[in-house]
Amino acid sequence: MVFRLSLAALAACFALGVLATPMTVDYNTAKLFPRGPEGEPFQCPDPSGTAAAKQNLVNAGAQPIDIGIAMLENGCAFKAGYSAGNNKQNDNAELGVYRNNWHMLRTHCDHFKGASEGEWYNRGQEVHNDVALATRCQRQLRDELGLGQYFSLQRGGLGNQHLGEEYGKYVGKYEEFSKSHMNDGMAIYYNIASV
């Protein structure tokens, strides 16, 4: 049997091959992360690195909800691999492995209470680079605000708080998954609109 391909068919096969080439992921910056089919567990490309990063959070006091939020916000990286602020400034700046905004941190985390809005970058580096401090603040935020208000401020910031209900539903799914995956190389993905 002889197969003949036209030039157009050959070009199409080449294009599909190029498009199907696996994406290179830079886990140090966590700008991109792999995604399995929505709602299905998958093994991260660097399972031992993911397991170690999860264990680092657990050692800092992270609970399943914290592991879930870190996974939702950073995929398999489990660390703040984005630049402080994440292209936002002042009270809207996102900081740390949980991507808490500066307003939440400076008004509800004991370590930052009394800090001004303008201190977001210099003081924010502390939580951005320290998972133990980030985890301690995370727990204080949830305890002080309650989950509903926490979810609203976490997802919607100061201007779009109605997004919290949807965010909370997805956090629940990530938390449930994390209960049995606290220190392994597995992750899960749900498609949540970015803000």
Side-chain angles (χ1 to χ4, degrees), residues 46-81:
D46 178 10
S48 61
T50 297
K54 284 183 182 180
Q55 189 61 52
N56 194 27
L57 290 173
V58 169
N59 292 346
Q63 298 171 342
I65 191 171
D66 304 312
I67 298 294
I69 290 170
M71 186 184 317
L72 183 158
E73 298 291 355
N74 303 293
C76 291
F78 287 93
K79 61 183 175 181

Side-chain angles (χ1 to χ4, degrees), residues 78-106:
F78 287 93
K79 61 183 175 181
Y82 58 96
S83 61
N86 198 24
N87 296 319
K88 299 174 184 172
Q89 297 178 4
N90 300 316
D91 277 345
N92 288 316
E94 296 176 359
L95 300 158
V97 66
Y98 306 109
R99 293 189 188 227
N100 298 124
N101 64 56
W102 180 239
H103 174 78
M104 294 170 71
L105 291 165
R106 73 183 185 88

Side-chain angles (χ1 to χ4, degrees), residues 74-158:
N74 303 293
C76 291
F78 287 93
K79 61 183 175 181
Y82 58 96
S83 61
N86 198 24
N87 296 319
K88 299 174 184 172
Q89 297 178 4
N90 300 316
D91 277 345
N92 288 316
E94 296 176 359
L95 300 158
V97 66
Y98 306 109
R99 293 189 188 227
N100 298 124
N101 64 56
W102 180 239
H103 174 78
M104 294 170 71
L105 291 165
R106 73 183 185 88
T107 57
H108 299 286
C109 175
D110 291 343
H111 187 82
F112 297 109
K113 282 186 178 175
S116 72
E117 183 175 4
E119 291 179 275
W120 74 271
Y121 187 79
N122 291 330
R123 295 288 312 276
Q125 293 294 331
E126 297 170 43
V127 73
H128 196 69
N129 297 311
D130 183 344
V131 295
L133 177 59
T135 301
R136 206 167 47 249
C137 287
Q138 175 78 349
R139 181 158 308 150
Q140 288 176 5
L141 295 173
R142 285 198 326 269
D143 289 349
E144 247 186 67
L145 293 166
L147 283 180
Q149 183 69 9
Y150 168 81
F151 292 149
S152 291
L153 286 171
Q154 174 72 0
R155 194 61 178 169
L158 299 177

